[in-house]
Amino acid sequence: MKEREETFEKVAEKSARTELLRTEEVGYLEGESTHQISQNEIKAQADEATQQKIFDLHLNQFGPYRMDYLRNGRHLLIGGAKGHVAAFDWQTKSLHCEMNVMETVTDVKWLHQETMFAVAQKKWVYIYDNQGIELHCLKHLDSTLRLEFLPYHFLLVSSGAKGFLSYLDVSVGKEVVGIHTKQGRLDVLTVNPQTAIVHLGHPNGNVSLWTPNMKEPAAKILCHGSGIRDVAIDVTGKYMATTGFDRRLKIFDLRTYRELSRFQYNKRQCPGLLDFSQKGLLAVSRDNVVEVYKDMTSQAYRPEKPYLYHRCDKLVANLMFCPFEDVLGIGHGSGFSSIVIPGAGEANYDALEANPFQSKAQRKQTEVRMLLDKVKPEMITLDGQICKVDLQTAKELQEERNKTKYLKPNKIDFTPKNKMKGGSSGAKLVQRKKGVQEEHIRSAVRDIVRTKQVEGKQKERNKSRKGVQGSALDRLKKKTA
């Protein structure tokens, strides 16, 4: 524990020094009516690099679209419900691959690097490389609806229409565990980025928390009186936002599992999809409209108007903030839209964690380092902090060991003396040493047996005594004649 405290002090000191190098600052739109500012107005006043981030992909034939950004925010993966899948660098607009899988696509997900991605199709889950070549067909993941990836554990998490939650280790290609949740169709899935706990939304209004170490949920939270539409967790892992068919948006504190605030929508409006940005902005979709709110996790703040407002051509099917960029990606029925949300992304990135400008050699080194630092699935718990000593459990184990009288006797170190005329040969020395050790074990066993006999006699004497008070459960025993 002392070494742990010293390590924390060194980390705090180094992080304070590195703050001098963080020269970039986050900027927001200021004013009372920022929700009236359109993307065309932002594009007209922004620089050329920001203008390239606002674009639309009109794909009316294969929508609605699901999408996913890579961890470093550089690459984008989109998948249409009618089979269209495309992966590309959205900043340079260079296409990696484009294909049509000729069947329904329910979700898409990048894996640890931009070289591989997973596609949940009608029957099974397929793994493709960045050239569109099929690498694996995961037939044990059938009827999958949602996919998530845990980069530190190399686990691909999938939830299906039959109520199964599966964890697949993509580094070795083996399934870690498959859990039958018995909760019906699982179409709401998200992961806590801090603790790697899986959050599932159910039609009965519950949100259940799952780990690969338990066959039952680690916790359940009753969030709504109706079905859950979507769940989102902020970057710190402390707050959870949920929407339900009761037209309510709620914010929960995951440290206490209590409701912080709730927002009731009108009869004609029902909040749907959710997503938190790296700086705490919350994007909420309702029909074909996307609203972005600020400071939703503050108890004393109830926003009357959104921070920004955007209207799409058709119903919104998916939305996600791009890491390290002030960009919100929206997948809808007529394609994909990229809009600018000032102040949404983290301005300063850690190149050792996620580097948007990494080269091919750096990508290979990062992949090797991630595999060496891979975390075991057994370490996924509700309390995500590690390197702690469980003092209470250690004390209980020591007390149990002290009470146990049937421990194996300790071996003794015995060195036989030398004897004349062949008495100190190798076989004789081993035989004499073994005889002394066996005699020591016999004496220890005799002591244990005597102690057990004495305790048994004392119990029989106490039973025969009239003054000794019996147990309250003795009246349930069968009476013998």
Side-chain angles (χ1 to χ4, degrees):
M1 294 177 69
K2 289 181 179 179
E3 292 178 356
R4 181 167 164 265
E5 291 176 358
E6 291 176 358
T7 303
F8 284 167
E9 290 178 358
K10 291 180 181 179
V11 170
E13 183 180 355
K14 290 182 179 180
S15 61
R17 290 179 179 177
T18 55
E19 287 181 357
L20 299 174
L21 302 175
R22 297 183 177 183
T23 56
E24 301 294 337
E25 295 181 358
V26 179
Y28 294 96
L29 293 178
E30 296 182 358
E32 296 182 357
S33 58
T34 56
H35 63 283
Q36 297 180 357
I37 301 176
S38 65
Q39 290 295 310
N40 292 330
E41 294 174 350
I42 294 176
K43 189 174 183 179
Q45 300 296 329
D47 58 335
E48 186 177 354
T50 305
Q51 293 176 2
Q52 299 296 326
K53 299 176 183 177
I54 303 175
F55 63 92
D56 292 317
L57 299 178
H58 298 285
L59 305 167
N60 299 321
Q61 299 179 357
F62 305 105
Y65 275 81
R66 299 282 301 179
M67 38 82 64
D68 182 45
Y69 285 104
L70 196 64
R71 287 180 64 216
N72 58 16
R74 190 62 187 265
H75 302 272
L76 176 63
L77 177 65
I78 60 174
K82 297 180 182 178
H84 178 235
V85 178
F88 56 95
D89 187 337
W90 69 272
Q91 293 186 4
T92 61
K93 308 300 186 298
S94 61
L95 184 66
H96 297 321
C97 66
E98 186 178 14
M99 58 185 175
N100 196 316
V101 297
M102 304 303 294
E103 62 179 351
T104 304
V105 173
T106 57
D107 203 2
V108 291
K109 199 69 183 177
W110 286 111
L111 299 186
H112 57 286
Q113 295 286 357
E114 66 270 19
T115 55
M116 288 192 295
F117 58 88
V119 179
Q121 298 176 200
K122 183 177 180 180
K123 281 189 175 182
W124 305 308
V125 175
Y126 292 83
I127 306 294
Y128 298 94
D129 67 354
N130 57 359
Q131 302 299 320
I133 301 173
E134 180 184 329
L135 300 179
H136 301 285
C137 176
L138 308 176
K139 294 187 177 181
H140 58 279
L141 303 181
D142 60 330
S143 304
T144 300
L145 298 176
R146 293 293 177 265
L147 294 173
E148 286 290 343
F149 184 70
L150 306 180
Y152 300 105
H153 307 77
F154 279 79
L155 292 179
L156 179 64
V157 186
S158 65
S159 61
K162 299 179 181 179
F164 280 90
L165 177 67
S166 302
Y167 290 81
L168 177 74
D169 192 338
V170 298
S171 62
V172 295
K174 293 184 179 179
E175 186 179 11
V176 176
V177 65
I179 304 173
H180 188 201
T181 61
K182 304 176 183 179
Q183 299 289 335
R185 183 182 177 89
L186 303 177
D187 56 352
V188 179
L189 170 68
T190 188
V191 174
N192 191 325
Q194 293 294 327
T195 59
I197 296 293
V198 173
H199 293 237
L200 295 177
H202 305 292
N204 58 2
N206 286 336
V207 173
S208 58
L209 281 63
W210 297 83
T211 68
N213 311 316
M214 302 172 61
K215 294 292 185 179
E216 297 293 332
K220 282 185 179 180
I221 309 173
L222 180 59
C223 299
H224 296 268
S226 61
I228 301 293
R229 293 201 67 183
D230 199 10
V231 179
I233 302 171
D234 72 332
V235 180
T236 62
K238 298 178 182 178
Y239 301 102
M240 177 180 68
T242 61
T243 54
F245 288 98
D246 54 0
R247 304 188 307 279
R248 287 179 179 176
L249 166 63
K250 295 185 179 182
I251 308 295
F252 292 86
D253 191 341
L254 293 178
R255 294 168 293 183
T256 58
Y257 300 104
R258 292 183 180 179
E259 180 182 329
L260 293 180
S261 57
R262 66 173 63 183
F263 306 91
Q264 182 69 50
Y265 282 73
N266 299 329
K267 291 183 179 180
R268 296 181 180 179
Q269 302 173 348
C270 184
L273 303 174
L274 299 169
D275 191 43
F276 274 103
S277 73
Q278 291 179 322
K279 303 304 288 186
L281 299 183
L282 178 62
V284 185
S285 72
R286 49 180 182 85
D287 297 337
N288 64 330
V289 172
V290 177
E291 298 175 339
V292 181
Y293 293 91
K294 290 173 62 177
D295 302 327
M296 290 289 284
T297 56
S298 176
Q299 298 182 9
Y301 181 74
R302 292 178 63 91
E304 297 179 358
K305 297 179 180 179
Y307 171 56
L308 280 177
Y309 177 94
H310 182 73
R311 184 181 293 273
C312 301
D313 296 336
K314 293 186 179 180
L315 294 178
V316 177
N318 192 19
L319 52 86
M320 182 179 181
F321 281 99
C322 180
F324 308 110
E325 293 285 349
D326 294 342
V327 172
L328 174 64
I330 305 171
H332 46 81
S334 59
F336 171 81
S337 298
S338 176
I339 64 175
V340 170
I341 308 296
E346 178 64 45
N348 301 281
Y349 62 89
D350 185 359
L352 297 178
E353 178 68 18
N355 187 4
F357 308 103
Q358 67 181 0
S359 62
K360 186 175 181 181
Q362 289 175 335
R363 186 191 71 202
K364 293 179 179 179
Q365 293 176 0
T366 302
E367 187 171 6
V368 173
R369 179 175 54 82
M370 291 176 65
L371 287 169
L372 293 175
D373 296 339
K374 176 184 169 184
V375 183
K376 294 183 178 180
E378 291 80 10
M379 300 187 71
I380 300 178
T381 58
L382 284 178
D383 186 6
Q385 298 182 0
I386 59 176
C387 300
K388 279 188 173 182
V389 179
D390 194 349
L391 297 176
Q392 187 67 25
T393 306
K395 289 180 181 178
E396 293 176 356
L397 290 174
Q398 189 62 34
E399 290 178 358
E400 291 180 0
R401 289 174 181 172
N402 294 336
K403 291 179 182 179
T404 305
K405 299 179 180 179
Y406 307 103
L407 295 177
K408 187 176 180 180
N410 297 327
K411 292 184 178 181
I412 60 172
D413 294 332
F414 172 69
T415 304
K417 294 182 179 180
N418 293 327
K419 291 187 177 181
M420 303 297 291
K421 296 183 180 179
S424 296
S425 61
K428 292 287 186 180
L429 288 176
V430 173
Q431 187 177 2
R432 287 160 57 192
K433 187 185 293 186
K434 187 175 179 180
V436 173
Q437 290 178 352
E438 290 179 352
E439 182 61 31
H440 172 70
I441 293 174
R442 289 194 200 98
S443 61
V445 170
R446 290 193 203 100
D447 295 339
I448 292 173
V449 171
R450 289 196 192 99
T451 306
K452 185 177 179 181
Q453 290 176 352
V454 171
E455 289 181 354
K457 291 180 181 179
Q458 288 179 353
K459 288 181 181 179
E460 292 179 359
R461 292 172 184 173
N462 292 334
K463 288 181 181 179
S464 60
R465 291 179 182 177
K466 297 181 179 180
V468 178
Q469 186 176 2
S471 174
L473 299 176
D474 291 344
R475 58 190 179 87
L476 302 177
K477 292 181 179 180
K478 293 182 180 181
K479 295 183 179 179
T480 55

